[in-house]
Structure formats: structure tokens, C-alpha cells
Amino acid sequence: PSCGRIRLRASARAEAEPKRGQVILRSAFGELLPKEVLTRPKQGFEVPLKPLFLGPLAGLLDNLLTETSVREAGLEWNAVQNVRRRLQSRSPGGAQATLHALAVFMAWWKTRKP
């Protein structure tokens, strides 16, 4: 119970003071991480969507983005096909993010369709 309270207090303090959260994490895990990890600037975490969508999740996209369901959802079939083609190109741009959004939308839409 006391560990939970300490964690909650540290978490609440970190939310109130974002820089403080970094200090807490660095002090808690600093000795476990290489110095270059601790001193590098903050960076985001990118999910490798392109290899996933072209590999293990390709079937999921095929099932979610059928011509019939895309049209029933009120989306333009040609536009969806263009995004899928862009994903396979050498310069996919934002195709990964667009396909992710489409997949989430279509999964939601299929549970809500009349």
C-alpha cells in the first residue's frame, strides 16, 4: 500500500511539473541506462507501421478495407487504394498514419453500421 501511495504522489507531482517527472525517472533508472540515453533530447516512439501493414497486418487491412465496406462507410474507394499504393512506394509519406486511421475508423464503423 505505501509503495502505491509513493507512486501516486510521484506521478501526480510529475504531471504537475513535467520536468520533475524526467528528474524522477532519471533518478530511479539512471544507473540502469547508458549515459547517452539519459542525456539525449526527448524523442518520440515511432511504431513501425509500414512493415506491419505490408507484413503481418496486411490481411487485417484487406479485411477492413474492402471496396464494399469502404463505399458503405461513405469513403472514396479510389482514395483508399491510392493510400495503399503509396504505402508500397519508396516515399510513403504519411500513408502509414493514414492507413492506421482508416483501419481504426473502419473497425469502429463495422461495429456501428446499421
Side-chain angles (χ1 to χ4, degrees):
S2 62
C3 286
R5 273 189 241 131
I6 291 169
R7 215 175 305 134
L8 283 174
R9 276 191 226 131
S11 177
R13 203 174 314 136
E15 285 179 23
E17 305 170 45
K19 289 283 186 193
R20 177 111 171 109
Q22 294 170 4
V23 172
I24 292 169
L25 287 172
R26 283 189 176 120
S27 65
F29 299 105
E31 62 193 39
L32 301 173
L33 298 169
K35 185 173 177 121
E36 57 272 8
V37 171
L38 287 172
T39 57
R40 74 176 177 212
K42 192 173 176 181
Q43 65 185 58
F45 172 74
E46 187 174 317
V47 177
L49 290 175
K50 182 176 179 178
L52 288 172
F53 285 155
L54 294 176
L57 297 181
L60 174 71
L61 286 181
D62 291 340
N63 291 335
L64 288 172
L65 302 176
T66 65
E67 182 174 2
T68 302
S69 62
V70 165
R71 289 184 189 280
E72 285 176 357
L75 302 174
E76 293 290 331
W77 173 245
N78 289 336
V80 171
Q81 288 300 96
N82 287 339
V83 173
R84 291 196 76 176
R85 274 192 291 279
R86 265 195 5 247
L87 180 71
Q88 295 174 356
S89 73
R90 295 188 82 162
S91 319
Q96 303 97 305
T98 303
L99 281 172
H100 178 260
L102 279 168
V104 169
F105 171 75
M106 290 303 296
W108 171 84
W109 181 82
K110 285 184 175 194
T111 66
R112 304 283 191 273
K113 73 178 182 177

